[in-house]
Amino acid sequence: DYFSLQLTEAWVSDNPAFFDRSVRVAMRTLPQGALVQVAIADVRGDVAYSHLTDGPVQLDRQRPVNIADREHFQVHLGGDESTFYISEPILGRISNTWTVQFTRGLWKDGVFGGVLVLAVSASHLSAALESTFPDEDDVALIVRSDGTYIARSRELEGVFGTRLPPDRPF
């Protein structure tokens, strides 16, 4: 959340060098492998900026990657400046990695300008749970309020796109 606030402010400052520097700081500050991608989608959902762990991505302006159909973009269309959203794990269209999208709308003077996306490795989140609960008989998980798995200490790949039964308390 903190990085999303900081990077949002850096983007709307209209200072590309400051934003790039802020992205590199975020990438270095978080544990290695945690932050897979920082991206900016414009008001149409076209990815206008993308920086993967190993550096900036050259985007094809003739055929932009569009995320307008993704829930983590759509939630900000009807949101407001305070909306912070965490997605279920999705396969990234640019990173080709399973990530959890931490997103915040980009607003300047009350006008919606797009979405900031921080793509956090689902595997990294699961590895952190596994290191905290190393016993093979224990399973720790992070779920959204609707029961959708975000991370799981064991066998995460087997639960991507699924949720806990609605009658199960969590």
Side-chain angles (χ1 to χ4, degrees):
D1 189 26
Y2 173 77
F3 281 121
S4 76
L5 288 167
Q6 293 299 314
L7 291 172
T8 296
E9 288 301 315
W11 179 263
V12 299
S13 74
D14 292 325
N15 182 337
F18 176 59
F19 182 73
D20 285 333
R21 208 169 38 253
S22 299
V23 167
R24 287 192 306 276
V25 167
M27 291 270 186
R28 282 193 320 262
T29 303
L30 292 170
Q32 186 173 2
L35 186 57
V36 173
Q37 179 183 24
V38 175
I40 299 289
D42 65 19
V43 296
R44 294 177 309 281
D46 292 337
V47 176
Y49 175 94
S50 178
H51 191 289
L52 295 171
T53 304
D54 55 355
V57 174
Q58 292 296 326
L59 299 168
D60 182 351
R61 298 288 174 217
Q62 301 298 341
R63 294 179 4 177
V65 174
N66 187 283
I67 63 167
D69 63 324
R70 301 275 187 142
E71 184 179 27
H72 64 272
F73 180 83
Q74 293 176 3
V75 73
H76 296 288
L77 293 174
D80 60 31
E81 295 183 39
S82 66
T83 302
F84 178 71
Y85 182 78
I86 301 173
S87 79
E88 61 186 74
I90 61 168
L91 186 61
R93 292 184 175 148
I94 294 174
S95 70
N96 201 34
T97 302
W98 284 97
T99 57
V100 177
Q101 314 298 297
F102 289 68
T103 63
R104 184 171 293 282
L106 297 167
W107 297 81
K108 188 169 184 177
D109 300 325
V111 177
F112 176 71
V115 174
L116 167 78
V117 179
L118 302 174
V120 176
S121 166
S123 298
H124 179 82
L125 293 172
S126 293
L129 288 174
E130 185 176 4
S131 70
T132 304
F133 302 95
D135 189 323
E136 290 189 22
D137 292 332
D138 290 335
V139 175
L141 44 107
I142 302 171
V143 295
R144 293 179 359 152
S145 61
D146 66 359
T148 303
Y149 285 96
I150 291 177
R152 182 180 156 117
S153 61
R154 307 249 183 276
E155 303 169 7
L156 177 65
E157 292 79 16
V159 298
F160 280 141
T162 66
R163 18 182 97 136
L164 293 170
D167 60 343
R168 177 135 185 227
F170 57 89

